[in-house]
Structures are given as C-alpha cells and as structure tokens.
Amino acid sequence: MADNEILNSTAVDAGNEYDASEIQVLEGLEAVRKRPGMYIGSTSSSGLHHLVYEIVDNAIDEALAGFCTEILVQINEGDTITVVDNGRGIPVDIQAQTGKPALEVVYTILHAGGKFGGGGYKVSGGLHGVGASVVNALSEWLTVQVHKNGEIYEMKFSRGQITQEMKIVGKTDHTGTTVTFKPDPEMFEETVYNYDTLHTRMREEAFLNAGLRIKTADLRPGKEREDSMCYEGGIREFVTWLNKSKDALHPGVIYMSGQREDSVAEVALQYNDGYSETILSFANNVHTPEGGMHEEG
Ligand code: 0RA
C-alpha cells in the first residue's frame, strides 16, 4: 500500500477532518517502521538494546536538568522493558499548537524532543530526546504512565498508533514517568534481551552522570538479577574502576573540569605500570571510540 493510501484510509476511518500537521504524524511514524535502521542503527540485537537507551536518554536529560535522581531499567517476563524515572513527569497539558496533550506529541511525533520550556538544557545521547516516538513506532505495544499533579496519567499505543487516549487512572504522591514496551517482533530479528549488555551500558551511564542512581533488574524466570549503581565521584570512580586490577603509579585520580557557556568538559586519569594506555572518550554521554577534537584536546 502506498503512503497516501494509508493516510487517506486512516483519515476516512477516523471520521474526522485531518489537518496537515496530523497527516505529518502518521507519515512520521510510518517512516520509522519502513526504515527502522535509519533511526536505531539496526534491527539486530544492537537495535533491540538501542530502544532501551533511547528511553533512558530521556530520563537522563531530566537528571541533567536537575530533577531526576533515580532510574530503573527492568527486563520483564516476555522480554518487555520497563523504564521508571523520578523526574517531573512528561508534561501532560494540552499544547496550544496541536490541541493535544504534550505526552501524546512526545510519543507520536518524530523530532518532538527538547522543545519544552524553551530548551537550553544539556542533552544526553544520540537522538536528542526524539527517541520516544521512534521506540513507540517500533513497539508492538507501549504504555506510558506519568505521575504528576497528584494524578497518574496513562496512555497506550500499538505500533505507534494510539489505542488508549490519555486518561487519569489513579492518584499518586510523587512525580515521574514509567514506560513499558514490547519491541515489535515484526521489526526485530532478535527479541531476547541480554541483561549484561544493558547492565554494562547503564553502569557507564551511572559513571558519566555523577550522583545519579541507576538500577537494573531482570525479572525473567530463571534469570533473576538486580544491580544498583551510583557513583558520587563520577568519571573519577570510572578511572578507579578501570584500573582496579592494575598497579597504579600514584594513589589519587587526576581530575580536571571546565566550562564555557553551556559546554562542560571533564577529564580523569591515573597512570598504571602497564605498557598500553586506555583512553575512553564520550560526547553527550555517547562513547566516541574513534576519538575526535574533544579527545585530542
Ligand atoms: C520537559 C519538561 C518537563 C518534564 C520533562 C521534559 C520530562 C521529560 C521526560 C522524559 C522521560 N522522563 C521525563 N521526565 C520529564 C516538566 C515540565 C513541568 O514542569 O511541568
């Protein structure tokens, strides 16, 4: 079926008049399902794990903004994923431009990230907060719950389409966002998660975001595990950890940091008595194994 047939039939079925911006919505998420690799790199195991990192990056942005202190990443029975954060909760108010709840916009419109509150906050990871809609498009189903204003707001989707409009489902005494999704087996060659892969990446995120607590859990029968990671020393502790089975030439980790306008740079290093050096560099929390000007500097 051609793109315009999908759009036309959807518009007719809904029995509404659709304006141009809404047609954009459908087109956007169809594009993701047509070429998933363009958005998440691959549809192999690597892409499957990338879905989790996209959702976690949004929570880390909330931590960088100073409002989130703890993130849980959980593999559930059936290889669905739950990510919980204790941030302010994704905004649920109706947006003037679209007439829709901001939550819906975040999950259904491509490139909707980072547009709230005038922006200006540091961003984590690859897609700069646009990842939620990509993960939604590539999930057989996805449920998001926002704890905010004393209420629990819930919305559900399937393959990017709304299956339950946002509604209040209960009361709460805290704020935060909980997302649960099942990667679409029609989209991925591999649908079984590897706990160690997620745990290793989340440990790295915890080292890079000093003071942020990240918990990982595996609830799959026979594979039960959990870890909790929080490093007050940030990348200093990363260096200590990397050198833990080596003989350091000096007791402390050398640390430097600087800031100009909204750019921050940090360096931590410690010599050991080995012949080979290990340099790990990151930009916006993303590992840059090929280096670059930041590493040269
Ligand atoms: C912008 C503004 C506000 C919250 C967020 C973004 C937010 C986004 C995500 C994504 C995952 N978890 C999140 N938590 C928060 C708050 C605006 C307000 O104060 O109402």
Side-chain angles (χ1 to χ4, degrees):
M1 206 196 294
D3 271 354
N4 58 353
E5 290 178 67
I6 296 172
L7 297 176
N8 289 340
S9 64
T10 308
V12 170
D13 290 349
N16 285 322
E17 286 188 9
Y18 272 53
D19 66 19
S21 66
E22 289 178 271
I23 288 172
Q24 196 66 46
V25 176
L26 299 170
E27 209 167 49
L29 293 191
E30 271 312 311
V32 178
R33 290 182 63 82
K34 205 174 283 173
R35 301 201 199 291
M38 274 197 36
Y39 297 87
I40 50 156
S42 87
T43 53
S44 62
S45 175
S46 153
L48 182 76
H49 290 78
H50 199 94
L51 297 178
V52 181
Y53 310 149
E54 287 301 330
I55 297 295
V56 170
D57 277 343
N58 294 338
I60 288 183
D61 281 344
E62 185 66 356
L64 289 171
F67 298 103
C68 168
T69 59
E70 191 166 312
I71 299 170
L72 166 68
V73 179
Q74 182 170 284
I75 309 173
N76 306 304
E77 194 169 351
D79 285 86
T80 70
I81 295 287
T82 298
V83 176
V84 186
D85 72 61
N86 68 347
R88 291 168 293 176
I90 298 176
V92 292
D93 49 298
I94 306 293
Q95 281 198 321
Q97 316 93 290
T98 58
K100 298 161 184 284
L103 177 67
E104 176 178 331
V105 173
V106 166
Y107 275 90
T108 56
I109 301 187
L110 215 47
H111 309 306
K115 296 240 174 91
F116 303 103
Y121 54 88
K122 292 181 269 184
V123 284
S124 165
L127 295 182
H128 302 286
V130 307
S133 63
V134 171
V135 174
N136 194 20
L138 300 177
S139 293
E140 185 184 316
W141 55 260
L142 180 147
T143 299
V144 55
Q145 287 193 338
V146 175
H147 291 242
K148 203 178 178 74
N149 315 324
E151 320 263 25
I152 304 171
Y153 301 81
E154 184 184 75
M155 189 158 188
K156 297 187 181 186
F157 308 86
S158 175
R159 302 189 165 106
Q161 307 285 321
I162 297 166
T163 55
Q164 179 195 293
E165 300 285 345
M166 188 180 82
K167 67 175 185 189
I168 293 172
V169 295
K171 297 273 179 209
T172 182
D173 62 357
H174 62 275
T175 64
T177 303
T178 297
V179 186
T180 300
F181 63 91
K182 180 180 195 293
D184 190 350
E186 290 177 5
M187 291 285 122
F188 292 93
E189 290 114 67
E190 177 62 75
T191 54
V192 178
Y193 275 101
N194 182 315
Y195 179 83
D196 288 329
T197 302
L198 293 181
H199 174 225
T200 299
R201 173 65 181 253
M202 292 306 119
R203 181 175 52 212
E204 190 175 280
E205 293 276 24
F207 278 129
L208 294 170
N209 295 279
L212 174 64
R213 181 165 297 279
I214 305 185
K215 295 179 173 175
T216 52
D218 194 342
L219 303 187
R220 292 171 297 185
K223 295 182 175 175
E224 292 89 348
R225 245 196 96 171
E226 59 179 47
D227 292 275
S228 179
M229 297 153 291
C230 180
Y231 307 104
E232 293 299 339
I235 63 169
R236 277 165 284 216
E237 281 190 68
F238 201 173
V239 169
T240 303
W241 182 80
L242 289 166
N243 255 346
K244 69 181 183 300
S245 57
K246 308 256 165 59
D247 291 313
L249 293 183
H250 49 100
V253 172
I254 299 164
Y255 176 80
M256 287 162 272
S257 74
Q259 179 163 4
R260 188 184 298 166
E261 283 147 31
D262 60 355
S263 296
V264 180
E266 279 185 290
V267 183
L269 62 103
Q270 185 181 40
Y271 289 97
N272 64 47
D273 65 1
Y275 289 106
S276 57
E277 72 176 7
T278 303
I279 296 185
L280 295 176
S281 64
F282 299 82
N284 297 332
N285 283 344
V286 178
H287 185 201
T288 47
E290 294 179 18
M293 284 304 289
H294 58 311
E295 187 176 307
E296 293 302 314

